[in-house]
Amino acid sequence: MTHQNQRRQTSLILEHSKPRSRMVEGETRVVALGGGHGLAANLRALRHVAHDITAVVTVADNGGSSGRIRKELPILPPGDLRMALSALCEDSDWGIVWRDVVQHRFESDGELNGHALGNLLIAALWQMFGDPIQALDHVGALLGVRGRVLPMALEPLDIEATVTDRTGTSRMVRGQAEVASLEGHVDELRLIPSAPEVPTEVLEAIAQADWIILGPGSWFSSVLPHLLIPEIVEAIRSSKAKRLITMNLTSDPTETEGMTSTDHLQVLMDTAPDLGIDAIVADPTMLDDSLELVEFAQQHGISSILRQVSVGRGIPVHDPVRLAAAYRDVFDGVIADVRED
């Protein structure tokens, strides 16, 4: 029996505790795709400007607590999903406490050392219900999250990359943790399996969205993997939603070392041609090539908005309020900061 059929048979179990949409009629529906710290930063900003948020999260993590759980249990790696849930916690005392609880990591001399409590909580609920979507909905209800967190696939994935190092030697690297820490130029990126089962909830959210946002985040290990799944790419292409790319504040010292922001946008467009990107958000205080990026975007019919969305002082960390303000301008159509004149 597939995960989809299991959910149909047991959907009533969660009916009393499912997170209800807080969207008021006329407000923006947003789907944010990514993983790790980049997606979490994005969600913390979106909480200020959108009430209908769906986070679609990578499920290829094979390092740390998630990697250990994944080796022991036949479930999706929970770490990136936990971070997304934490980022969407409500600001009440209840939400703040539970946000810290799920992020808590044990320190011990035994097997619990390094495990995040939220990872174990999610794993326990998956075993109880046999369904990751129901488990995540339960955790979301417990935390009082604004929005919904979904995995991009219903089975654990592996990322595989062909990499050329500084000596010109080509090699194959497998694993999200390994790709995220590699040194060299990524020539090709693959997912194993290449066409995994995608939750119907993900496809429905993409179809109903007003805006679909990719980035920021680790480009090859968190952002681009979504664009390697045929069902997700086709859903984005078919959606009425506008597509926004939030650029990173700097190149990663490992997997994207030496790449400009223009290179980032180019490789994304190469990964999913004809995706139909409508706009980009970039921080000119952090990117040396922001004007070149805008010119490149204009050549491809993409609007640009340049805003300081970092915390400042040259620190490559997104400020949720500043990023939210940039998103508000994008959603309101104020996206023509840079013109040829």
Side-chain angles (χ1 to χ4, degrees):
M1 182 182 295
T2 68
H3 288 293
Q4 309 285 13
N5 290 332
Q6 287 177 336
R7 278 202 299 287
R8 293 189 186 100
Q9 290 188 6
T10 58
S11 61
L12 291 178
I13 296 174
L14 269 176
E15 197 59 37
H16 70 286
S17 61
K18 271 188 180 178
R20 307 298 182 184
S21 172
R22 303 185 183 190
M23 186 189 74
V24 178
E25 186 175 357
E27 291 183 345
T28 305
R29 298 183 180 188
V30 179
V31 172
L33 300 95
H37 294 284
L39 177 61
N42 199 6
L43 297 175
R44 283 191 287 269
L46 286 169
R47 289 179 67 256
H48 293 284
V49 293
H51 289 271
D52 193 321
I53 305 168
T54 300
V56 180
V57 186
T58 54
V59 287
D61 190 4
N62 66 324
S65 173
S66 287
R68 290 160 60 192
I69 291 173
R70 179 175 173 175
K71 289 177 182 177
E72 187 169 343
L73 300 173
I75 63 174
L76 301 174
D80 285 359
L81 295 157
R82 180 201 81 245
M83 291 182 65
L85 286 162
S86 175
L88 288 172
C89 276
E90 62 182 25
D91 290 328
S92 66
D93 290 342
W94 177 272
I96 292 170
V97 168
W98 277 102
R99 178 194 64 201
D100 294 341
V101 167
V102 298
Q103 292 287 64
H104 175 76
R105 287 190 183 273
F106 292 97
E107 295 182 8
S108 75
D109 296 325
E111 292 298 320
L112 275 178
N113 186 55
H115 273 304
L117 187 145
N119 289 354
L120 302 178
L121 175 63
I122 293 171
L125 287 168
W126 282 350
Q127 283 201 329
M128 289 173 60
F129 293 109
D131 178 5
I133 305 299
Q134 286 193 3
L136 291 167
D137 281 344
H138 265 293
V139 180
L142 176 67
L143 272 57
V145 302
R146 174 174 294 178
R148 199 176 191 191
V149 174
L150 300 171
M152 72 175 185
L154 288 170
E155 57 189 302
L157 305 178
D158 278 316
I159 297 175
E160 187 176 85
T162 302
V163 183
T164 301
D165 63 24
R166 295 174 183 175
T167 68
T169 303
S170 181
R171 60 191 176 97
M172 188 272 286
V173 177
R174 181 165 178 171
Q176 184 181 40
E178 289 75 14
V179 171
S181 60
L182 63 82
E183 295 182 1
H185 179 269
V186 177
D187 300 311
E188 186 179 357
L189 196 67
R190 298 173 292 276
L191 278 184
I192 302 171
S194 60
E197 183 181 5
V198 177
T200 56
E201 294 88 344
V202 168
L203 303 177
E204 290 169 357
I206 291 173
Q208 297 168 7
D210 298 306
W211 283 91
I212 297 168
I213 302 178
L214 278 159
S218 299
W219 218 241
F220 289 103
S221 53
S222 292
V223 177
L224 296 183
H226 292 81
L227 302 181
L228 297 176
I229 298 181
E231 272 193 284
I232 289 181
V233 173
E234 183 55 36
I236 294 174
R237 287 176 177 152
S238 302
S239 175
K240 62 180 177 58
K242 293 185 177 180
R243 291 80 157 165
L244 171 67
I245 309 300
T246 302
M247 306 303 300
N248 285 346
L249 298 174
T250 184
S251 290
D252 192 290
T254 51
E255 68 173 51
T256 58
E257 182 181 11
M259 289 179 61
T260 65
S261 56
T262 304
D263 294 334
H264 281 70
L265 184 55
Q266 178 69 73
V267 74
L268 186 147
M269 294 168 61
D270 290 343
T271 302
D274 304 319
L275 193 65
I277 301 169
D278 293 280
I280 60 171
V281 169
D283 187 334
T285 70
M286 296 295 298
L287 301 177
D288 294 334
D289 71 327
S290 57
L291 294 181
E292 290 84 353
L293 173 65
V294 170
E295 182 179 357
F296 177 83
Q298 288 176 338
Q299 292 171 356
H300 291 84
I302 303 170
S303 299
S304 305
I305 181 167
L306 297 184
R307 290 283 193 278
Q308 180 182 339
V309 293
S310 63
V311 296
R313 303 182 304 281
I315 300 173
V317 174
H318 284 90
D319 182 291
V321 175
R322 285 173 171 163
L323 184 56
Y327 283 154
R328 173 58 66 196
D329 284 348
V330 172
F331 298 160
D332 289 345
V334 185
I335 54 176
D337 264 8
V338 179
R339 299 177 175 84
E340 291 184 1
D341 57 358

